Amino acid sequence: MSSRSIRQASVLRRSSLALALAVGLGGSGMVVAQSTVGTIFGSATPGQTVTATSASGVTRTVTVDQSGRYTIGSLPVGTYTVSVSSDGATVSSRDNVGIRVGSGTEVSFNNPKTAGEAQDLSGLTVSANTLPSIDVTGVDSRTVVTAQQLQKLPLARSADAIAQLAPGVVQGSSDFTNQSNGQRLSSFGGAGVSENAYYINGMNVTDPLNGLGGIELPYGSIEQQEVLTGGYGAAYGRSDGGVINQVGKRGTNEWHFGAQILYTPEWARGTPSSTYYGKGYPGGELNGTLYQNRSANKGWEAVESAYVGGPLIKDKLFMFASVEAAKTEDKYTGVNSSAAQQTKRTFKDPKWYAKVDWNITDNHILELTAASTKHEYNGSNYEYNYDDFSRGEYLGQDVPTKTSAKMWIAKYTGYITDDFTVSAQFGKQITDIYQENVNNYPDLIPILGSTNQNPAFTGGAPITNANKVIQYTDPTHSTRGANYRIDLTYKLGDHTITAGIDNQRTQDLNDSTLMAPNAGYAWQYGRQNNPASEIAEGEVDAPIGYPGGQNGYFVDKYVQYTSASTRVEQRAQYIEDTWQVTDRWLVKIGLRNDQFTNYNPDGDAYITQTRPQWAPRLGFSWDVFGDSSFKVYGNAGRYYLALPTSVALRGASGSYYTKEYYTYTGIDANGYPTGLTPINTYQGAGVPYSANREYGQQPDPKTVTAKNLKAQNQDEYILGFDKVLNDQLNFGMKATYRRLNRIIDDVCDTDVLEGQAIAQGADVSGLRGCYFFNPGNAATFQLPNATGGYQQVHITNADFGFPKPKRKYYALDTYLEHPFDGKLWGRITYTFSKSYGNSEGQVKSDIGQQDIAATQDWDYPSIMEYGSGRLPNDHRHQIKAYGTWQITPEWNIGGILQMASGSPNSCEGLYGPNQTVPAYNGNYYHWCDGVPSPYGSKGTTDWTHILSLNAEYRPAFADHKLAFNVNVYNVLNEQKPTRLNSDYSDGNYQTPQSWETPRYVRFGITYDF
């Protein structure tokens, strides 16, 4: 829709490996992804008992089976003491065993090759973890970052910034941000930024509206963050990108509290580079001139946080609570125009988190979690003079906004027997999306597309006015989500069978926009490069025949509004068998069935995908030598993705989107066109025209989509290995291949629908502009007929004239890691990847289009011609190096180096050698100055090199509880454009749309008791 992981160590040999500090190496445990738990497994003498006891009072005891193996599953993340007993006496134990979320930690008390010949190790206690660093039970691809690492690494304080440490994860377009905190999002394995899932303590907290981000914990309350880049089990779904799962801290048997202050002064920020109009447009009058002065666009930031946690009842009842308040003040200078403005901005981002854990008995645990985050903005607008770069008079308040998100979850875990575990959880999330409807200039009509104004009437600089408010929104707009799931796990011999349900309901309430008064419209300027080309082929005349249109310039009255309350029901059932085939071979076989139903404002289903959508998952892990020093693993699976609630706004609700076209012979001081002459449309001159036939009517839900509409899904294949090189280094490689099988988008070529209806003897009427379908597949539509009934019309892909949809991604990841040895920990990864095809997925990053599953792609076949090539999130080479060095007990330094080759550039202009507009008016086509221009074929942006450093001092005189730290992000202050405008027109083409973040220095003081 148009809109612009050493080996199995001997128990007598000490190692300084600290798993609590280990980052996941591409393996996972015998428990499911996106959870809050992990597994301890290993070998001992058959008949012995193994007990795991955590600092938070959790105690589990199991008996070693006749094969000499044991497993303790569904253990809350934390630090454990693991002991083995014989005839009631402890013969050996391990202290400080750290569990990573979703992963298995091996604690063996003899050599698994000779399990029946174990030595008597009576009384031996090992404090340091003599444990293998390779999880041989893992079949997926994950990176886990712990609280200790987050404290020492120079990272931006967001879930997505942490996620970008993982191989194959890149920063998404600046046009897409997390609604709950305003931070930029991530692309996993070439997928769109809306195709990821976000979790807190096992609950899906992904944005229900657009799928863009989700709720996040206060940074200091993150115990671990799990980043899944592929291969997760059947228990979870609804993502074909990646998964970000945050596990919050919990109380223990010791009281702890602390506080932190972080400050980034304005003087410690690099000056942003200014933006100049692109030079790629031949003969453009704006080429190379100043587009935006960004030199003053900086400010200060302060973050204050505190926490407390401990036992309310020792070994039984625990609490943890934290608060965080972040405030930023900066300036933002608008683009160069006759009515340029500078805004003094204030952002406030308070967060809180609370968790209560009740060990009812050793076999029954209840967890309660709640969290909240707000993202609040206020601003003051001032005049700005581009002649001398000075700020002028106060113009009024900018539009205040506030997004307030909350979640809570209750989870019960019952260890019914050693072999049978039950987990049940229920949770809700609520997000209020508030925008104050402030307009300081209601009598001025907003100006859009000012760079397309006729320079004969502007003097060479675009003319706008002070009114930047185009639309008002309903201040009661909110979203709702409810999650409930049950998981049953039963161990039967060598098989661990898990089954359950995973259900979710999301709602979008009072989501409405209307054009801001008083005019109720905006002026939008446009230009036809070929003045004789129709503005809309067959529907809106060419401007050349009207006064002032001889050079192709025109203007339109732009009106768009929506109003809807909608919901989506998502249900799933799954079963999975983790089969320990032999001591060295583990196979995981799973099957998931997803069902999705989307409802319109009247509560009627317009998308029903409830037939079985089978998502098989198959993985294996081979412990090659049987000593956890070399693992080969693989995974294959299918993943389905539902459509979020926002799809209904224009696709299934009464939306209104029209334009009235005119030529003009002048432009006044407010940017208004003068000397207007209406341009004829197929409905007549001066009549509102809708390219998508959106005139406010709510479509019949029976006719919104193709009857055979199938959900978006993707297949993924992974093969890799992890190898211990020596006591100091681990090495591994992993190959990934992803293929998008089916997508959902909308088609707007009603001429084809009408033509095929006539050819099939159908008399249809009242067709709306766009219908959801699966591009590249035949579709059967149920359309209204002239007698008030329905007529089915079957249309093949050949009838539409579309290519087959394609999104393919392959990657080879290589890593080398130095596990933490008490002083040094580090990891370096190199990823070679390619993402190519003709569809990014649900969004369109190259032009910043956020119409989920309703992008301009697939609207008309002409838009898709030459539309295959490198996709926007394709960065061919990525190098990521990070680590920490504990120089002395007082001093620690950390660093991150992130290097990536550039993203592909595109050029989109008018259609064909004659530069016509067979679909939409404007530069929507993969043609550039009359020459075919395939997707991503105009070179790439520059390589980026971001080096960040952190130093921390914990003085001995304060018992190392007081810390002073300094973090320098982008030490070299590199500032390169990361995206260029693809719109082939003067003032737009190749103008930078986003930049690297300039250097900043952050100072901090922390106290932990």
Side-chain angles (χ1 to χ4, degrees):
M1 188 173 292
S2 173
S3 79
R4 218 34 174 141
S5 161
I6 291 183
R7 58 183 165 74
Q8 168 77 26
S10 164
V11 294
L12 297 177
R13 180 172 180 177
R14 295 175 59 92
S15 166
S16 298
L17 173 66
L19 288 186
L21 284 173
V23 168
L25 300 176
S28 82
M30 298 171 67
V31 292
V32 294
Q34 292 111 270
S35 67
T36 62
V37 296
T39 295
I40 293 175
F41 70 98
S43 62
T45 302
Q48 289 182 324
T49 59
V50 180
T51 300
T53 303
S54 78
S56 57
V58 174
T59 299
R60 290 284 317 282
T61 300
V62 299
T63 301
V64 181
D65 64 24
Q66 292 305 305
S67 67
R69 301 183 66 87
Y70 76 92
T71 300
I72 309 176
S74 299
L75 290 172
V77 167
T79 303
Y80 287 77
T81 295
V82 184
S83 60
V84 60
S85 300
S86 183
D87 298 325
T90 299
V91 297
S92 184
S93 67
R94 303 286 186 272
D95 289 339
N96 301 316
V97 175
I99 291 183
R100 290 185 290 115
V101 59
S103 301
T105 299
E106 182 176 357
V107 184
S108 290
F109 295 91
N110 53 32
N111 190 313
K113 292 180 178 179
T114 58
E117 303 173 7
Q119 303 178 44
D120 182 4
L121 304 174
S122 179
L124 178 64
T125 298
V126 182
S127 296
N129 281 332
T130 57
L131 305 175
S133 59
I134 292 177
D135 174 15
V136 295
T137 66
V139 302
D140 61 21
S141 301
R142 75 178 64 224
T143 298
V144 177
V145 185
T146 67
Q148 295 94 331
Q149 292 166 337
L150 292 177
Q151 183 180 346
K152 295 174 173 64
L153 289 173
L155 282 163
R157 296 166 65 87
S158 76
D160 279 274
I162 300 169
Q164 287 159 25
L165 294 176
V169 183
V170 301
Q171 190 176 67
S173 167
S174 60
D175 294 295
F176 307 102
T177 58
N178 190 331
Q179 186 169 251
S180 69
N181 58 21
Q183 300 299 310
R184 287 176 65 172
L185 301 171
S186 303
S187 168
F188 287 65
V193 295
S194 68
E195 299 173 30
N196 306 323
Y198 293 73
Y199 284 76
I200 290 179
N201 284 358
M203 175 175 164
N204 192 322
V205 292
T206 309
D207 167 37
L209 183 61
N210 294 308
L212 297 173
I215 303 175
E216 299 182 7
L217 291 174
Y219 196 77
S221 297
I222 303 170
E223 178 64 30
Q224 296 183 8
Q225 177 168 309
E226 174 187 43
V227 182
L228 279 148
T229 55
Y232 51 85
Y236 291 88
R238 301 171 192 146
S239 165
D240 63 7
V243 175
I244 296 176
N245 176 33
Q246 291 189 333
V247 178
K249 294 182 177 180
R250 61 174 63 207
T252 67
N253 271 325
E254 292 184 0
W255 281 100
H256 293 276
F257 63 84
Q260 183 179 61
I261 298 175
L262 302 173
Y263 181 59
T264 304
E266 182 171 347
W267 58 262
R269 289 187 180 274
T271 300
S273 298
S274 291
T275 302
Y276 291 81
Y277 285 102
K279 298 180 180 181
Y281 188 77
E285 298 187 19
L286 296 175
N287 286 6
T289 63
L290 183 62
Y291 172 75
Q292 183 184 23
N293 177 27
R294 301 173 67 240
S295 61
N297 292 1
K298 56 182 183 176
W300 60 267
E301 180 184 27
V303 182
E304 302 171 38
S305 62
Y307 72 89
V308 61
L312 299 175
I313 302 175
K314 188 176 181 180
D315 291 332
K316 286 291 185 180
L317 189 63
F318 308 86
M319 63 80 66
F320 184 92
S322 66
V323 294
E324 177 182 291
K327 182 179 181 179
T328 301
E329 289 191 0
D330 65 9
K331 295 181 287 293
Y332 179 83
T333 306
V335 300
N336 186 4
S337 74
S338 63
Q341 296 181 7
Q342 187 176 84
T343 305
K344 293 182 64 177
R345 308 187 303 178
T346 299
F347 298 90
K348 296 180 180 180
D349 291 90
K351 299 177 181 179
W352 60 262
Y353 163 73
K355 192 172 192 298
V356 175
D357 296 272
W358 181 19
N359 301 332
I360 305 169
T361 70
D362 285 348
N363 295 323
H364 301 278
I365 299 174
L366 182 64
E367 304 173 51
L368 300 176
T369 300
S372 172
T373 181
K374 292 182 182 179
H375 182 57
E376 184 175 357
Y377 165 75
N378 286 279
S380 298
N381 292 324
Y382 295 83
E383 293 178 345
Y384 188 78
N385 190 336
Y386 263 88
D387 292 332
D388 58 5
F389 305 113
S390 63
R391 192 178 73 194
E393 296 294 325
Y394 174 69
L395 295 175
Q397 183 183 23
D398 201 12
V399 178
T401 62
K402 180 170 67 175
T403 300
S404 176
K406 300 178 287 292
M407 63 79 68
W408 66 264
I409 183 175
K411 180 182 179 182
Y412 163 78
T413 303
Y415 307 107
I416 310 305
T417 69
D418 286 353
D419 298 324
F420 183 44
T421 302
V422 176
S423 173
Q425 66 181 44
F426 178 78
K428 287 189 175 182
Q429 70 179 100
I430 300 171
T431 303
D432 295 321
I433 307 168
Y434 173 76
Q435 175 178 304
E436 188 173 334
N437 291 322
V438 171
N439 190 350
N440 299 301
Y441 301 93
D443 295 329
L444 291 176
I445 303 169
I447 304 300
L448 303 174
S450 59
T451 58
N452 289 319
Q453 291 172 339
N454 190 334
F457 308 134
T458 66
I463 301 176
T464 62
N465 60 58
N467 187 4
K468 310 301 180 183
V469 181
I470 299 171
Q471 290 183 317
Y472 282 176
T473 66
D474 190 328
T476 64
H477 183 201
S478 65
T479 64
R480 299 288 189 270
N483 289 242
Y484 54 101
R485 66 176 298 141
I486 298 175
D487 303 279
L488 309 175
T489 302
Y490 185 68
K491 190 175 186 300
L492 182 63
D494 294 328
H495 299 266
T496 300
I497 300 172
T498 305
I501 61 172
D502 174 18
N503 296 341
Q504 183 173 342
R505 179 186 186 187
T506 58
Q507 297 173 280
D508 179 25
L509 305 176
N510 305 320
D511 191 348
S512 66
T513 60
L514 68 158
M515 300 303 291
N518 288 341
Y521 63 90
W523 286 114
Q524 179 172 257
Y525 287 91
R527 183 191 180 189
Q528 294 292 83
N529 289 348
N530 180 356
S533 177
E534 292 180 324
I535 296 174
E537 196 167 276
E539 297 189 332
V540 182
D541 274 356
I544 194 171
Y546 299 83
Q550 293 82 2
N551 293 320
Y553 292 96
F554 65 91
V555 70
D556 66 72
K557 284 185 177 181
Y558 170 90
V559 181
Q560 180 183 7
Y561 57 81
T562 59
S563 179
S565 291
T566 64
R567 78 179 197 271
V568 179
E569 301 279 354
Q570 303 176 54
R571 301 176 182 272
Q573 309 80 40
Y574 78 94
I575 187 168
E576 189 166 68
D577 179 16
T578 302
W579 180 19
Q580 190 71 50
V581 183
T582 70
D583 286 345
R584 299 187 183 187
W585 282 92
L586 179 143
V587 175
K588 185 174 288 189
I589 306 170
L591 186 63
R592 180 182 177 92
N593 179 25
D594 282 292
Q595 302 99 48
F596 311 135
T597 306
N598 294 58
Y599 296 88
N600 72 4
D602 291 335
D604 297 321
Y606 69 95
I607 296 178
T608 304
Q609 297 166 337
T610 55
R611 293 182 177 180
Q613 298 185 129
W614 300 116
R617 313 284 169 83
L618 175 64
F620 77 90
S621 174
W622 177 28
D623 183 358
V624 179
F625 301 131
D627 61 357
S628 300
S629 67
F630 183 22
K631 180 187 77 170
V632 177
Y633 64 98
N635 194 287
R638 174 165 293 179
Y639 303 87
Y640 283 89
L641 187 66
L643 294 179
T645 57
S646 65
V647 172
L649 290 179
R650 291 179 65 187
S653 305
S655 61
Y656 190 94
Y657 181 22
T658 66
K659 298 178 180 181
E660 296 176 32
Y661 292 95
Y662 302 86
T663 56
Y664 56 94
T665 57
I667 300 176
D668 70 15
N670 290 319
Y672 303 164
T674 61
L676 295 175
T677 301
I679 299 176
N680 284 329
T681 73
Y682 76 99
Q683 296 174 303
V687 178
Y689 162 77
S690 177
N692 296 320
R693 303 187 186 182
E694 296 174 75
Y695 295 102
Q697 76 281 18
Q698 181 165 305
D700 186 333
K702 296 179 181 179
T703 67
V704 170
T705 73
K707 291 178 63 62
N708 57 337
L709 188 73
K710 302 293 192 302
Q712 177 171 321
N713 68 85
Q714 176 175 269
D715 288 342
E716 179 185 68
Y717 305 89
I718 297 171
L719 182 64
F721 73 87
D722 296 318
K723 180 71 173 70
V724 174
L725 294 180
N726 52 48
D727 288 347
Q728 300 297 317
L729 293 173
N730 297 336
F731 170 72
M733 298 182 72
K734 178 191 67 176
T736 301
Y737 174 68
R738 287 179 161 189
R739 182 188 66 217
L740 190 64
N741 300 317
R742 182 178 285 113
I743 63 171
I744 295 177
D745 213 297
D746 60 345
V747 60
C748 306
D749 196 343
T750 52
D751 288 343
V752 172
L753 272 71
E754 291 172 343
Q756 289 299 312
I758 293 171
Q760 296 173 37
D763 183 11
V764 298
S765 65
L767 293 187
R768 201 166 182 263
C770 302
Y771 297 82
F772 291 105
F773 78 130
N774 296 123
N777 292 270
T780 299
F781 297 92
Q782 183 165 271
L783 304 176
N785 61 26
T787 62
Y790 303 97
Q791 179 70 43
Q792 290 192 12
V793 178
H794 182 77
I795 304 177
T796 68
N797 187 54
D799 295 331
F800 277 126
F802 285 121
K804 290 288 186 179
K806 180 195 300 183
R807 187 181 77 193
K808 295 185 177 182
Y809 172 84
Y810 61 78
L812 182 64
D813 299 308
T814 305
Y815 80 87
L816 186 68
E817 181 180 48
H818 185 293
F820 186 66
D821 59 5
K823 285 185 176 293
L824 186 64
W825 163 74
R827 181 179 176 95
I828 182 170
T829 65
Y830 167 68
T831 300
F832 171 81
S833 64
K834 185 176 181 180
S835 177
Y836 62 99
N838 55 22
S839 177
E840 181 183 355
Q842 292 185 336
V843 298
K844 190 167 171 60
S845 291
D846 58 324
I847 63 170
Q849 189 173 8
Q850 297 190 28
D851 295 320
I852 306 298
T855 68
Q856 69 182 40
D857 291 347
W858 311 105
D859 285 2
Y860 294 88
S862 55
I863 294 177
M864 296 307 297
E865 287 188 28
Y866 300 103
S868 186
R870 294 182 60 189
L871 293 172
N873 297 311
D874 181 30
H875 293 263
R876 196 60 51 86
H877 307 278
Q878 300 169 50
I879 300 173
K880 302 178 182 183
Y882 49 93
T884 63
W885 180 20
Q886 191 70 49
I887 305 172
T888 69
E890 289 79 27
W891 285 97
N892 179 280
I893 59 174
I896 301 174
L897 174 63
Q898 295 175 299
M899 300 169 56
S901 58
S903 59
N905 297 321
S906 294
C907 178
E908 296 184 6
L910 299 180
Y911 178 79
N914 295 323
Q915 303 190 54
T916 60
V917 284
Y920 299 121
N921 176 70
N923 295 317
Y924 292 92
Y925 310 90
H926 296 285
W927 290 78
C928 193
D929 198 20
V931 178
S933 178
Y935 217 167
S937 63
K938 297 303 179 182
T940 63
T941 58
D942 292 336
W943 272 73
T944 57
H945 318 76
I946 301 294
L947 173 65
S948 303
L949 299 174
N950 181 74
E952 182 182 79
Y953 173 57
R954 287 185 174 267
F957 68 78
D959 197 23
H960 308 297
K961 295 176 181 178
L962 177 67
F964 303 92
N965 64 74
V966 58
N967 168 35
V968 185
Y969 177 86
N970 191 2
V971 174
L972 304 177
N973 197 30
E974 179 179 274
Q975 297 184 49
K976 294 179 179 178
T978 56
R979 183 167 78 84
L980 304 181
N981 199 328
S982 61
D983 186 340
Y984 190 69
S985 61
D986 183 19
N988 291 311
Y989 186 51
Q990 295 189 342
T991 297
Q993 299 294 286
S994 63
W995 294 81
E996 293 177 281
T997 301
R999 177 179 55 228
Y1000 63 80
V1001 183
R1002 184 173 65 207
F1003 303 92
I1005 301 176
T1006 305
Y1007 186 79
D1008 299 286
F1009 178 81

